[in-house]
């Protein structure tokens, strides 16, 4: 029998794993990134300086950039050029500014994905690791006492049950939705193609000049351009629609074409409203190491032990 804390830990885990598999599956993640890089290079050549050159940055808001972004630039060209920059950057530090906050790092390169993220909500902190296409979520002391003192719960998306995922069908869809939502290259590319785009204005993020763009898009059209494998397309798009048939995503892009902040109204992960993440130290891609085997319990074993 699951305790409320255990259910909370499992729900938190369900936010953050399977999208990595979706992004790296043969269902289409790489093709979308190649298209973004190509389109971004074209957009850069026709109207902006933000190319793939020098994506790494060291400043607190993503930049040593001193160039002021062009607020008059066509929004679609700006998003596509930024998608090319963020594709090359491969990773960044994350700071969540909604809910009770949270922070970590994310490498969205599909050949070597990795995530180390702690989210805080209602006084509870949950830590998640993604390494080697598996996710590990930290267990609190009360939950650990129920599972032989193990510190981590492992979810591996490769072994499929009857529902295609170890955490249940809907949880697996939430996982895929969240990771795609956090992938800046994927979001920029899809919204450039499907969104009704507008320029909100010039704003500073962590003291860095940016242009704030907004995309409003039907979920049906947006989902077709996101790197979601065919085997989970209906599930993920269905979960996204639980927050409405349309998506609103805001992007803050600096003079180097880097995405410094994103607010997404529709992550499909049940986090309770729009989620804002800032991307810092863009270009950093720290290695995420899996926990020691002796500290880990597999999801299937935990369910078997606690369900008996």
């Amino acid at each position: 029998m699951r305790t409320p804390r255990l259910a909370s830990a499992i729900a938190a885990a369900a936010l953050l794993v399977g999208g990595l598999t979706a992004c790296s599956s043969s269902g289409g993640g790489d093709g979308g990134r190649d298209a973004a890089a190509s389109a971004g290079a074209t957009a850069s050549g026709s109207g902006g300086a933000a190319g793939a050159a020098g994506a790494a940055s060291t400043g607190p808001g993503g930049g040593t950039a001193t160039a002021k972004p062009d607020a008059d630039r066509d929004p679609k060209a700006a998003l596509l050029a930024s998608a090319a920059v963020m594709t090359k950057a491969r990773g960044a530090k994350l700071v969540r500014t909604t809910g009770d906050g949270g922070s970590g790092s994310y490498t969205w390169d599909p050949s070597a994905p990795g995530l180390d993220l702690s989210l805080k909500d209602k006084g509870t902190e949950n830590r998640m690791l993604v390494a080697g296409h598996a996710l590990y979520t930290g267990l609190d002391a009360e939950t650990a006492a129920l599972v032989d003192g193990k510190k981590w719960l492992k979810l591996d998306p490769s072994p499929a049950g009857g529902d295609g995922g170890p955490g249940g069908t809907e949880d697996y869809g939430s996982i895929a939705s969240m990771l795609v939502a956090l992938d800046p290259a994927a979001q920029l590319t899809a919204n450039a193609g499907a969104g009704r785009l507008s320029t909100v204005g010039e704003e500073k993020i962590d003291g860095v000049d940016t242009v704030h763009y907004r995309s409003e898009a039907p979920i049906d059209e947006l989902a077709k351009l996101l790197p979601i494998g065919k085997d989970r397309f209906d599930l993920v798009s269905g979960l996204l629609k639980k927050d409405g048939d349309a998506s609103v995503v805001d992007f803050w892009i600096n003079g180097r074409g880097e995405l410094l902040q994103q607010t997404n109204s529709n992550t499909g992960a049940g986090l309770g409203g729009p989620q804002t993440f800032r991307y810092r130290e863009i270009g950093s891609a720290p290695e995420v190491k899996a926990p020691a085997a002796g500290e880990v319990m597999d999801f299937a074993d935990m369910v078997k032990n606690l369900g008996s």
Side-chain angles (χ1 to χ4, degrees), residues 177 181 219 239-249 264-269 273-275:
S177 304
I219 292 296
L239 285 172
L240 291 173
K241 287 182 180 180
K242 284 194 170 184
D243 290 328
D245 291 332
S247 170
V248 178
V249 185
N264 197 321
S265 70
N266 210 322
T267 65
Q275 298 298 307

Side-chain angles (χ1 to χ4, degrees), residues 38-50 73 76-81:
S38 176
T42 300
S44 178
S46 62
R73 190 176 190 187
K76 182 173 183 177
L79 264 61
L80 287 173

Side-chain angles (χ1 to χ4, degrees), residues 279-290:
Y279 299 87
R280 294 179 171 174
E281 298 182 33
I282 295 169
S284 63
E287 180 184 3
V288 179
K289 295 183 179 180

Side-chain angles (χ1 to χ4, degrees), residues 20-300:
L20 293 173
T21 301
C23 288
S24 60
S25 70
S26 59
D30 292 343
R33 293 171 187 274
D34 292 342
S38 176
T42 300
S44 178
S46 62
S57 45
T58 58
T64 55
T66 57
K68 191 175 179 67
D70 181 4
D72 295 325
R73 190 176 190 187
D74 175 66
K76 182 173 183 177
L79 264 61
L80 287 173
S82 183
V85 170
M86 298 305 284
T87 296
K88 185 175 181 179
R90 299 178 56 246
K93 299 293 180 64
L94 293 175
V95 176
R96 180 187 183 218
T97 62
T98 43
D100 292 333
S103 62
S105 63
Y106 181 24
T107 301
W108 50 83
D109 181 349
S111 67
L115 179 76
D116 185 345
L117 182 63
S118 293
L119 297 181
K120 300 176 183 178
D121 282 294
K122 298 179 180 178
T124 299
E125 181 171 350
N126 295 290
R127 185 181 175 195
M128 301 85 174
L129 299 178
V130 175
H133 297 285
L135 175 135
Y136 306 81
T137 184
L139 299 176
D140 60 34
E142 181 180 342
T143 305
L146 299 173
V147 290
D148 301 323
K150 303 291 187 180
K151 296 180 180 179
W152 297 92
L153 172 65
K154 179 182 179 182
L155 292 172
D156 186 345
S158 58
D163 57 17
T169 301
E170 186 159 325
D171 286 346
Y172 195 72
S174 296
I175 289 163
S177 304
M178 185 65 179
L179 265 292
V180 171
L182 285 177
D183 182 333
Q187 285 294 322
L188 288 160
T189 302
N191 280 278
R196 180 166 61 87
L197 305 177
S198 61
T199 301
V200 178
E202 298 178 79
E203 300 175 19
K204 288 185 181 289
I205 298 296
D206 290 332
V208 177
D209 290 321
T210 70
V211 177
H212 176 183
Y213 301 98
R214 177 166 295 155
S215 168
E216 300 174 72
I219 292 296
D220 285 337
E221 297 303 313
L222 186 66
K224 292 175 184 177
L225 299 177
L226 288 170
I228 304 169
K230 293 179 181 179
D231 57 337
R232 50 185 73 85
F233 179 86
D234 290 341
L235 175 60
V236 172
S237 60
L239 285 172
L240 291 173
K241 287 182 180 180
K242 284 194 170 184
D243 290 328
D245 291 332
S247 170
V248 178
V249 185
D250 289 74
F251 302 100
W252 287 259
I253 299 172
N254 71 6
R256 294 162 59 95
E258 297 165 328
L259 178 65
L260 300 194
Q261 179 172 284
Q262 178 194 166
T263 296
N264 197 321
S265 70
N266 210 322
T267 65
L271 290 178
Q275 298 298 307
T276 298
F277 281 86
R278 291 188 177 181
Y279 299 87
R280 294 179 171 174
E281 298 182 33
I282 295 169
S284 63
E287 180 184 3
V288 179
K289 295 183 179 180
E295 297 181 343
V296 176
M297 170 165 278
D298 286 342
F299 182 89

